[in-house]
Amino acid sequence: MDQEARFITGKQFKDMLLGAYHSFEKNYESINDLNVFPVPDGDTGTNMMHTLASVAKEISAMPDTCDAGEVGTVAGRAAIMGARGNSGVILSQLLRGIGKGTAGKKVLTHTEFGKAFQYGVLYAYRSVSTPVEGTILTVARGMAKGTYSKIRGENSTFVEILEAAIENGKEYLKHTPEMLPALKAAGVVDAGGQGLIVFLEGCVAGIQGKDCEVLPIEKGTKTISRAQNVEPLDLEFPYCTEFIVKGASVDKQTVCDALTGFGNSMIVAVVDDIVKVHIHTKNPGNALNTAQQWGTLHDIKVENMVDQHENRLFVGEETIAPVVKNGIGVLTVAAGEGIAKIMHEYGAAEIISGGQSMNPPVEDFVKAIEAGSYEQYIILPNNKNIILAAEQVRKLLGNSRVAFIPTTNLAQGLAALLHFDATRSLEDNVAIMSNEAKQAVSGAITRAVRDSVVHGMEVYKDEFLGILNDRIVASSKDMIEAIKAVLADGDYEIVSLYYGDELDQETAEELAEQLEEINEDWEVETFFGGQPLYPLLMSME
């Protein structure tokens, strides 16, 4: 790109975003190393890279002649659908805001780009219910101020604006340890904020046509099978019809009002200018003709359910009988095969594989709900890094369709699930399940993946970490000592151990016997969980 250029085309915008993705390919592991907590987690760099991979896939298919605004819109939408983890969701909202700010622009002037970045920061802040300074949000705000200051100078080029944003972002990043004690104790800056630096450095390289570099970043001290339940034969509305409308400017209520009279089992999702519809109808042509008024039709699928009604899908070896699409179901995230089976037995309708280092994207939730058997769903994320993704699903599909309970661990998820009652309303279930989840007591044992300092406690790589209610309370070379520390201050009667793929049943039962010898008041139960990274997940009552 010409260094003196003061606007960018659609192709150059594409090059920027592709450069950002390639920058993450080279630097994501260094960003992961900045993670404060030593537990194996859905690492920041990996999550942001996966989010940008969805963007790169979509914009790579766009012609070089496309408008800059079109690239922004596609990138924002792709980021939302592919977002993983908290950092990925926040990055997707930044890109969505930039997409909003660039919409309708053939090319972008430096002023327009600066304003679009301001939109992005606004969307990023809005995506977090309680924004915390010292995080990726702080760095994004610093970058936005950098662009604002630079665009006020009439002679600034695009590269100069981006470099100003990077420099200002680095200044804000440098101060993140002063805002968050955990960062200061570990001697690192915020990983998500560093990810934004990597993002813009890649944008600069992309717009200049250069290869991305490995940046100097200082380091501090299988999918679970799920039934997609097939509905029973409906002779009144025998055609299962699905389609996507692109380029639409209608809201969800308008679509629902227009199509309601054509059939039943209707599901509508609206994301920006895209409308996704599923409906059972007598006459697919009527629904398609109506939808064509909103935009262009894509991915049309019409199936005669008379030919399909005997199909069955499976969870493991269990056949799920067809059910009518109505009522309320629970969609839960499970970290292992055994946990998924337990949750299924407890009444979960849909199960998505996910957990530490396996944060499922927003798209997985949307697909599960659209293919599911219920009109309404309650999502149990069961991991702090999946909560924002669950919140985005609710925003995409609507509060009347989806609710979520911010469960951060297995114990909370199981407590909430045990108190689900399909005869209650969505609101009543959420209130009761949320209360039960808050009272649950959880524990976990994992290995430290790096040396660190947490809450004033020194942690060394490969030691066993004892975690109580998502807080590290012990680090020891001996697993049983770490377990004892987790249980030390509680007046428990029942301790449930869910052993992961690193342990066998015999070892788990030996641990249970040792614990019962330590405290005769404890009744210790063992269950196969199958989760990776965590030898034990625990719930205490």
Side-chain angles (χ1 to χ4, degrees):
M1 176 185 174
D2 182 356
Q3 292 289 325
E4 299 303 316
R6 290 174 174 79
F7 64 86
I8 58 171
T9 64
K11 180 183 183 305
Q12 291 163 337
F13 196 7
K14 282 175 56 181
D15 291 341
M16 285 174 57
L17 295 174
L18 291 172
Y21 172 56
H22 295 316
S23 183
F24 267 92
E25 286 185 309
K26 292 188 177 182
N27 292 285
Y28 77 95
E29 291 182 339
S30 295
I31 297 172
N32 289 345
D33 288 339
L34 294 176
N35 280 356
V36 173
F37 295 104
V39 299
D41 205 344
D43 282 332
T44 299
T46 302
N47 286 336
M48 295 178 82
M49 182 180 68
H50 280 306
T51 302
L52 285 175
S54 297
V55 174
K57 178 181 178 181
E58 293 299 321
I59 65 174
S60 294
M62 301 179 71
D64 290 343
T65 55
C66 63
D67 294 346
E70 294 173 340
V71 175
T73 299
V74 170
R77 184 168 57 244
I80 292 173
M81 300 307 289
R84 296 193 182 190
N86 288 0
S87 55
V89 172
I90 293 172
L91 177 61
S92 76
Q93 291 303 291
L94 181 73
L95 289 171
R96 184 186 181 197
I98 292 174
K100 287 284 187 181
T102 60
K105 305 288 194 305
K106 185 174 181 63
V107 297
L108 297 174
T109 66
H110 64 298
T111 302
E112 290 167 340
F113 181 80
K115 289 181 178 178
F117 202 94
Q118 296 280 355
Y119 271 116
V121 174
L122 179 63
Y123 271 74
Y125 265 88
R126 285 179 175 176
S127 71
V128 181
S129 56
T130 308
V132 176
E133 295 301 335
T135 64
I136 184 174
L137 298 174
T138 301
V139 179
R141 181 161 51 83
M143 288 178 166
K145 287 185 176 181
T147 61
Y148 177 76
S149 298
K150 198 66 178 178
I151 62 177
R152 296 179 68 182
E154 295 181 0
N155 296 321
S156 299
T157 67
F158 243 121
V159 170
E160 289 171 344
I161 292 169
L162 292 173
E163 289 176 341
I166 292 170
E167 290 308 309
N168 218 49
K170 286 180 178 178
E171 189 65 25
Y172 274 68
L173 179 66
K174 185 171 65 177
H175 293 291
T176 55
E178 300 169 14
M179 303 176 189
L180 283 180
L183 295 177
K184 188 173 183 178
V188 296
V189 295
D190 179 67
Q194 182 65 66
L196 279 190
I197 302 295
V198 170
F199 173 80
L200 282 193
E201 291 277 16
C203 287
V204 170
I207 204 169
Q208 291 180 321
K210 297 179 180 180
D211 289 335
C212 299
E213 299 178 354
V214 176
L215 301 176
I217 299 175
E218 292 187 12
K219 301 178 183 179
T221 42
K222 131 186 154 193
T223 303
I224 297 173
S225 299
R226 175 187 53 79
Q228 298 177 350
N229 297 319
V230 182
E231 298 179 49
L233 177 63
D234 187 336
L235 295 178
E236 184 179 3
F237 302 111
Y239 294 101
C240 178
T241 305
E242 296 182 5
F243 55 86
I244 290 174
V245 185
K246 294 185 179 180
S249 58
V250 293
D251 57 31
K252 181 178 178 180
Q253 192 59 50
T254 300
V255 175
C256 292
D257 290 345
L259 299 180
T260 296
F262 294 143
N264 63 12
S265 299
M266 182 168 62
I267 304 172
V268 176
V270 178
V271 183
D272 293 330
D273 64 340
I274 283 188
V275 178
K276 171 64 183 284
V277 174
H278 166 282
I279 187 171
H280 292 176
T281 180
K282 289 181 181 179
N283 191 328
N286 289 345
L288 294 172
N289 288 337
T290 300
Q292 199 167 22
Q293 300 173 29
W294 304 323
T296 57
L297 295 175
H298 301 265
D299 298 343
I300 299 171
K301 183 180 73 172
V302 179
E303 293 182 344
N304 188 332
M305 291 183 290
V306 173
D307 299 328
Q308 302 292 328
H309 74 282
E310 291 183 352
N311 289 346
R312 299 290 187 272
L313 297 178
F314 301 89
V315 176
E317 297 180 354
E318 298 180 40
T319 301
I320 303 298
V323 296
V324 177
K325 187 182 289 292
N326 56 26
I328 306 171
V330 175
L331 190 164
T332 185
V333 179
E337 180 183 352
I339 292 172
K341 184 176 180 181
I342 291 168
M343 288 181 165
H344 178 63
E345 291 172 350
Y346 280 16
E350 314 289 342
I351 299 172
I352 292 177
S353 175
Q356 299 297 80
S357 78
M358 304 182 300
N359 301 155
V362 173
E363 185 177 10
D364 284 2
F365 289 93
V366 174
K367 286 182 177 179
I369 290 171
E370 289 183 342
S373 308
Y374 295 90
E375 292 289 343
Q376 296 177 306
Y377 276 92
I378 298 171
I379 299 175
L380 301 177
N382 303 330
N383 186 287
K384 61 183 176 62
N385 282 333
I386 305 176
I387 289 175
L388 274 182
E391 188 171 2
Q392 288 302 310
V393 176
R394 182 181 65 178
K395 289 180 179 179
L396 289 173
L397 300 184
N399 293 340
S400 63
R401 174 99 169 107
V402 175
F404 79 94
I405 297 168
T407 51
T408 61
N409 53 60
L410 174 62
Q412 290 185 349
L414 292 176
L417 189 56
L418 276 170
H419 289 83
F420 169 69
D421 185 343
T423 65
R424 289 195 293 252
S425 67
L426 183 70
E427 294 77 13
D428 288 347
N429 265 305
V430 169
I432 293 170
M433 294 167 70
S434 296
N435 183 61
E436 294 297 330
K438 290 177 183 177
Q439 297 182 48
V441 183
S442 73
I445 303 295
T446 187
R447 286 185 182 272
V449 295
R450 58 180 66 88
D451 293 346
S452 185
V453 178
V454 183
H455 308 310
M457 177 177 57
E458 292 186 354
V459 172
Y460 298 99
K461 184 178 179 181
D462 294 329
E463 285 190 344
F464 289 105
L465 299 180
I467 302 172
L468 175 64
N469 290 332
D470 302 322
R471 179 184 175 92
I472 297 173
V473 296
S475 180
S476 173
K477 294 180 181 179
D478 187 349
M479 182 188 291
I480 197 69
E481 290 300 317
I483 299 173
K484 286 166 61 178
V486 172
L487 300 174
D489 297 328
D491 183 19
Y492 309 122
E493 296 179 356
I494 300 176
V495 178
S496 298
L497 304 180
Y498 301 86
Y499 58 94
D501 58 10
E502 297 179 31
L503 301 180
D504 55 27
Q505 182 177 354
E506 183 179 354
T507 302
E509 290 177 349
E510 288 175 357
L511 287 171
E513 290 176 2
Q514 291 182 59
L515 292 175
E516 289 181 338
E517 290 174 0
I518 292 170
N519 190 328
E520 60 182 16
D521 292 332
W522 292 341
E523 180 181 340
V524 185
E525 305 171 326
T526 61
F527 303 91
F528 171 63
Q531 69 276 0
L533 303 177
Y534 282 67
L536 287 178
L537 294 176
M538 307 160 63
S539 66
M540 290 83 83
E541 303 173 45

